[in-house]
């Protein structure tokens, strides 16, 4: 049957309308920015404000160790636009061409607001591949209501008062580094004899702890499940909001200091939007809010004056000078990585 001219016109009109609606839908489709970072690490209000300003959707996945992040990226998985590696891991990303050079013309806030005092604590003071996001310290958190008299020392892990009620961070460089500091060595040591002494000490600590823990120690401290935890400074600022009985101290033997930085993978699909996200984080107003949310110091100098006094005076965010002098920056292990991996595997295997 031959369709009438009228029916054909109607069908053509419906087809045209449908096509226009589809095209309109495509025109208003929001771009997506894929972010790979640590948990509880970006103020959700910052994310919402960025999405509104740039008419996009930010999608966040999280990791709990640099090794896990690196393995996923090396395998070609994820499709992320912005990642947050720690300083001591960045050279590996650069050497393996996993991240790309930054376009500084798209980062005016970084050029204007970066606190230059932190240039020697990051991967590259010229910020060629990365921009520092946070400065953090690894120390000891404890329940001061349960253990009021505590000497700030890594040696607390041998105290029977904390048996089964303490945790260590499950990061090989961090935890082996703490043992190295306890023994009077550099936490970046590549000396086999020193590392084997550190291994033996961590094994002794391991017999006294509940487990190695990277995340749940926060809720464990808040609930008193744990009384002593090796902890990241910013995590404890967050915990103190709920549990002011939790204190954070810097071990007298010395302690790790590092940064998490922002980088753009070579496989990123939204490179311009990724730069805009990094630049947005360096806006002083949002940086101040983000410091209060994360509990970590962000090297955005104009933000400090915008932070409420309770955060500005919190030593977990801004350590006193006498403590800061004992901090040692964690560096890239390079060819010593297999040695650290062997030591760490021996620690984990020991019952």
């Amino acid at each position: 049957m031959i369709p009438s001219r009228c029916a054909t016109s109607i069908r053509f009109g419906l087809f045209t309308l449908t096509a226009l609606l589809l095209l309109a839908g495509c025109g208003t489709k929001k771009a997506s920015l894929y972010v790979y970072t640590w948990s509880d690490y970006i103020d959700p209000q910052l994310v919402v404000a960025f999405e509104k300003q740039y008419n996009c959707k930010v999608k966040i996945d999280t990791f709990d160790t640099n090794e896990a992040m690196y393995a996923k990226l090396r395998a070609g998985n994820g499709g992320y636009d912005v990642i947050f590696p720690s300083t001591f891991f960045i050279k590996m990303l650069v050497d393996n061409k996993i991240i790309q050079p930054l376009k500084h013309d798209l980062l005016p806030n970084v050029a204007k607001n970066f606190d230059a005092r932190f240039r020697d604590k990051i991967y590259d003071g010229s910020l060629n591949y990365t921009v520092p996001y946070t400065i953090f310290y690894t120390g000891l958190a404890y329940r001061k209501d349960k253990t009021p008299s505590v000497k700030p020392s890594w040696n607390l892990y041998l105290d029977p008062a904390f048996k089964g009620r303490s945790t260590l961070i499950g990061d090989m460089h961090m935890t082996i580094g703490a043992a190295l500091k306890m023994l009077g060595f550099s936490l970046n040591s590549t000396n086999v004899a020193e590392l084997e002494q550190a291994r033996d000490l961590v094994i002794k600590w391991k017999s006294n702890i509940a487990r190695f823990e990277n995340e749940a120690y926060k809720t464990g401290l808040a609930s008193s499940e744990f009384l002593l935890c090796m902890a990241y400074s910013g995590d404890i600022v967050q915990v103190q909001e709920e549990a002011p009985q939790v204190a954070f101290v810097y071990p007298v033997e010395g302690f790790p200091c590092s940064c998490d930085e922002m980088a753009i993978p070579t496989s990123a699909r939204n490179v311009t939007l990724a730069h805009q996200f990094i630049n947005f984080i360096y806006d002083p107003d949002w940086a101040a809010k983000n410091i209060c949310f994360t509990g970590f110091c962000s090297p955005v100098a104009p933000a400090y004056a915008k932070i409420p006094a309770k955060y500005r005076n919190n030593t977990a965010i801004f350590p006193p000078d006498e403590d800061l002098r004992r901090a040692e920056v964690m560096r890239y292990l390079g060819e010593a990585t297999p040695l650290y991996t062997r030591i760490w595997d021996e620690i984990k295997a020991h019952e």
Side-chain angles (χ1 to χ4, degrees):
M1 177 175 136
I2 300 174
S4 69
R5 185 174 297 174
C6 180
T8 301
S9 298
I10 291 171
R11 288 173 187 169
F12 178 77
L14 289 173
F15 172 80
T16 303
L17 179 61
T18 301
L20 288 171
L21 287 171
L22 287 171
L23 287 171
C26 291
T28 59
K29 184 179 179 181
K30 293 183 178 181
S32 293
L33 184 77
Y34 292 87
V35 176
Y36 198 27
T37 185
W38 307 84
S39 67
D40 303 321
Y41 216 32
I42 304 174
D43 187 340
Q45 293 183 10
L46 183 155
V47 173
V48 170
F50 179 80
E51 289 177 329
K52 183 176 180 180
Q53 181 165 329
Y54 290 95
N55 189 34
C56 66
K57 183 67 179 174
V58 177
K59 299 182 179 181
I60 298 176
D61 286 345
T62 62
F63 54 86
D64 63 358
T65 67
N66 282 282
E67 288 82 4
M69 175 270 298
Y70 176 73
K72 190 169 185 179
L73 293 172
R74 188 71 189 272
N77 298 326
Y80 297 108
D81 300 302
V82 182
I83 60 173
F84 288 67
S86 298
T87 293
F88 55 89
F89 236 78
I90 293 169
K91 189 174 188 304
M92 195 180 302
L93 300 177
V94 173
D95 289 350
N96 287 282
K97 296 180 171 51
I98 290 175
I99 58 177
Q100 61 182 276
L102 297 172
K103 299 176 182 178
H104 283 273
D105 58 320
L106 299 178
L107 301 172
N109 284 344
V110 176
K112 183 168 56 175
N113 300 325
F114 172 59
D115 189 340
R117 294 176 302 169
F118 293 104
R119 284 197 190 277
D120 65 343
K121 293 179 171 57
I122 58 180
Y123 167 70
D124 173 16
S126 299
L127 312 182
N128 290 320
Y129 283 88
T130 57
V131 169
Y133 177 63
T134 59
I135 313 297
F136 67 90
Y137 312 96
T138 306
L140 294 169
Y142 70 97
R143 291 288 304 214
K144 58 187 177 183
D145 54 331
K146 308 291 184 181
T147 52
S149 180
V150 166
K151 179 184 178 181
S153 169
W154 295 115
N155 214 35
L156 287 172
Y157 281 104
L158 297 179
D159 189 333
F162 298 108
K163 188 170 181 62
R165 305 287 296 279
S166 58
T167 66
L168 287 164
I169 288 174
D171 178 287
M172 70 177 184
H173 194 176
M174 200 79 66
T175 296
I176 294 170
L180 286 165
K181 295 305 293 184
M182 180 69 219
L183 294 166
F185 306 131
S186 167
L187 61 79
N188 298 303
S189 174
T190 58
N191 181 288
V192 175
E194 292 176 359
L195 284 162
E196 288 179 343
Q197 289 180 60
R199 172 201 62 199
D200 294 343
L201 180 55
V202 176
I203 286 172
K204 289 180 182 177
W205 290 350
K206 182 181 174 184
S207 67
N208 213 35
I209 67 171
R211 62 180 182 268
F212 291 102
E213 181 55 67
N214 293 357
E215 289 292 338
Y217 71 77
K218 294 180 284 187
T219 54
L221 279 166
S223 67
S224 294
E225 176 188 358
F226 304 133
L227 302 181
L228 174 72
C229 294
M230 184 181 185
Y232 299 121
S233 51
D235 284 352
I236 301 310
V237 176
Q238 296 176 30
V239 171
Q240 288 169 336
E241 295 287 337
E242 178 185 344
Q245 308 91 336
V246 174
F248 183 80
V249 293
Y250 297 100
V252 294
E253 301 87 6
F255 54 93
C257 166
S258 189
C259 299
D260 286 331
E261 307 195 36
M262 296 178 284
I264 300 175
T266 51
S267 59
R269 284 171 271 185
N270 287 300
V271 174
T272 298
L273 192 60
H275 281 85
Q276 290 167 333
F277 186 68
I278 293 171
N279 193 62
F280 194 81
I281 283 173
Y282 261 68
D283 174 87
D285 289 327
W286 281 113
K289 290 181 173 67
N290 213 28
I291 290 171
C292 297
F293 176 80
T294 65
F296 292 94
C297 180
S298 181
V300 181
Y304 305 155
K306 301 174 180 288
I307 301 169
K310 74 170 185 173
Y311 296 107
R312 198 166 53 248
N313 298 329
N314 191 322
T315 57
I317 302 176
F318 299 101
D321 288 343
E322 61 269 26
D323 287 326
L324 196 53
R325 281 192 288 270
R326 300 196 307 277
E328 184 176 359
V329 177
M330 297 177 67
R331 298 300 182 189
Y332 176 56
L333 294 174
E335 293 179 356
T337 300
L339 175 58
Y340 270 75
T341 300
R342 190 258 292 177
I343 294 292
W344 187 239
D345 287 343
E346 289 170 359
I347 290 168
K348 292 190 293 183
H350 193 278
E351 297 298 333

